[in-house]
Amino acid sequence: MRSLRRLTASVVGLALAGSSLAACGGDDKSDKGKGLEHGGKITVAALPLVDGAALYIAQNKKLFEAEGLKVTVKPVQQSIQALPALKNGQVDVIAGANYVSFLQANDQGALHLKILNEGATLTSNMMNVVVKANSPIKEPKDLEGKTVAVNIPNNIQSLTLDAILRAKNVDPTKVKYVQIAFPKMSQALDKGDVDAAHMVEPFLSDAQKKSGDRVVVDGGSEPVKDMPISGYVTTQEFASKSPKVAAAFQRAILKAQAIAAGDRKQVEQVLPGYAHIPAQVAPVITLPGYPTSNNETRLQRVVDLMTAAKLLKQKPDIKSLLFTPQS
């Protein structure tokens, strides 16, 4: 996703319980930057999705600064686009990375994955399949034989939608997924290039408001409700060479996730700036869940679903993929 929203288009209890990390936040800011690798500088590739709100909250609240970090954000339209840059060290972290694509890259040996933070979980109506108001598609069954736009094929969108369709007695193998970036989905739908579009917020609400697009599938419904969809990912190489920077980034994002989870208005304030949506739209969009800790069991749901869909050659050890700060 992002997206989901995104490729997207997250790219996680553990010894990283949010309460214990939050307790570290009271230390004097001047001490936080001491001993950080390469001066605390870190480059983050980020998607314009609601998934990554914590990144911008952390910037606005100077949570990175409090940890001694100097964060540079590079916008991207699909998280998978930034994978080569992550692999060669041009970027250090990808925010809003859809788990499916990055777990696949890890499985194929194209990337040695480390998950720093969970980013977002599916909620009802935050990632829906929409059609034009006058479309003959009225229910999920009508999607058989039709084209559906997704940000990245064979990623979190198609994986979760296939599970929903099967639960509704729809054959997902009869649905043709077409790759279209989230910002261009509404236009593609208007032009008739696709029959339906699997949109994520904030593009979803924007399309409904401006074009009157109609929802035919709630992409956050059972059996994938509360499924992790994206996170903040890096490489094993970066985490091993810059463990203090990785830990500082993790602490800052967990604090920002807690703010996002507890105060919707904080998310609304940052969305117009990076997601480029009107300020009046921000209060009406459906937000994802913002996990305030990294949970191995929760992420295992993604692995299990991918394994069942034969998207992985072998099951990864989630615990080994999650970044745990050195004591």
Side-chain angles (χ1 to χ4, degrees):
M1 257 204 253
R2 244 162 33 286
S3 67
L4 137 230
R5 359 264 3 179
R6 21 258 355 272
L7 19 231
T8 316
S10 21
V11 165
V12 206
L14 280 178
L16 304 181
S19 58
S20 63
L21 288 170
C24 297
D27 294 349
D28 184 80
K29 157 168 100 171
S30 62
D31 292 334
K32 288 290 185 181
K34 290 183 178 179
L36 291 183
E37 300 86 4
H38 43 83
K41 294 180 181 178
I42 186 170
T43 302
V44 182
L47 285 78
L49 306 178
V50 291
D51 304 33
L55 177 68
Y56 298 91
I57 290 174
Q59 280 189 318
N60 284 3
K61 298 293 184 182
K62 297 186 176 181
L63 300 179
F64 292 133
E65 183 180 326
E67 295 286 351
L69 295 173
K70 300 173 184 176
V71 177
T72 299
V73 177
K74 291 186 176 182
V76 293
Q77 294 301 315
Q78 295 174 323
S79 59
I80 203 70
Q81 291 177 343
L83 196 154
L86 180 68
K87 187 176 180 179
N88 64 30
Q90 289 178 308
V91 300
D92 305 307
V93 175
I94 299 178
N98 81 80
Y99 289 129
V100 174
S101 293
F102 284 83
L103 285 168
Q104 282 183 312
N106 183 77
D107 183 56
Q108 296 162 3
L111 179 75
H112 300 130
L113 181 67
K114 273 292 180 183
I115 301 171
L116 294 175
N117 296 85
E118 289 195 57
T121 57
L122 271 175
T123 56
S124 180
N125 292 310
M126 69 146 288
M127 190 168 72
N128 292 342
V129 177
V130 299
V131 297
K132 300 307 298 179
N134 61 353
S135 170
I137 299 173
K138 304 296 183 182
E139 57 184 34
K141 187 71 174 178
D142 297 333
L143 290 173
E144 292 185 352
K146 302 297 191 298
T147 55
V148 179
V150 292
N151 194 44
I152 305 171
N154 296 317
N155 82 332
I156 194 70
Q157 285 185 287
S158 56
L159 182 70
T160 54
L161 181 55
D162 283 354
I164 293 171
L165 293 178
R166 282 193 293 269
K168 295 181 180 296
N169 296 316
V170 179
D171 184 355
T173 64
K174 295 181 179 179
V175 177
K176 181 181 179 181
Y177 293 116
V178 178
Q179 180 172 349
I180 298 175
F182 284 122
K184 297 180 180 180
M185 282 188 185
S186 183
Q187 181 182 9
L189 195 58
D190 288 342
K191 291 169 61 178
D193 293 340
V194 290
D195 299 307
H198 197 190
M199 293 188 185
V200 69
E201 294 287 19
F203 305 102
L204 174 61
S205 289
D206 194 48
Q208 290 179 281
K209 182 178 177 63
K210 291 181 179 178
S211 304
D213 293 341
R214 175 167 49 81
V215 175
V216 290
V217 179
D218 176 357
S221 57
E222 296 295 353
V224 298
K225 183 179 179 182
D226 299 323
M227 176 79 71
I229 53 175
S230 65
Y232 296 79
V233 306
T234 187
T235 62
Q236 292 179 18
E237 292 83 356
F238 177 81
S240 62
K241 291 179 180 178
S242 306
K244 293 180 181 178
V245 168
F249 182 85
Q250 186 182 71
R251 288 193 298 268
I253 291 296
L254 282 174
K255 293 170 189 174
Q257 288 279 114
I259 292 172
D263 187 353
R264 180 191 171 96
K265 290 191 177 299
Q266 297 295 327
V267 178
E268 294 174 9
Q269 288 175 10
V270 299
L271 281 177
Y274 79 90
H276 309 299
I277 62 170
Q280 62 269 27
V281 175
V284 300
I285 68 173
T286 302
L287 297 181
Y290 294 107
T292 57
S293 65
N294 295 333
N295 187 282
E296 181 182 341
T297 302
R298 185 162 50 225
L299 283 167
Q300 189 65 45
R301 291 182 64 194
V302 181
V303 170
D304 291 344
L305 198 58
M306 289 180 68
T307 302
K310 298 182 179 180
L311 294 180
L312 293 173
K313 295 177 182 177
Q314 57 184 2
K315 278 191 176 185
D317 177 11
I318 288 295
K319 186 174 183 178
S320 69
L321 294 182
L322 285 163
F323 173 74
T324 303
Q326 298 175 353
S327 57

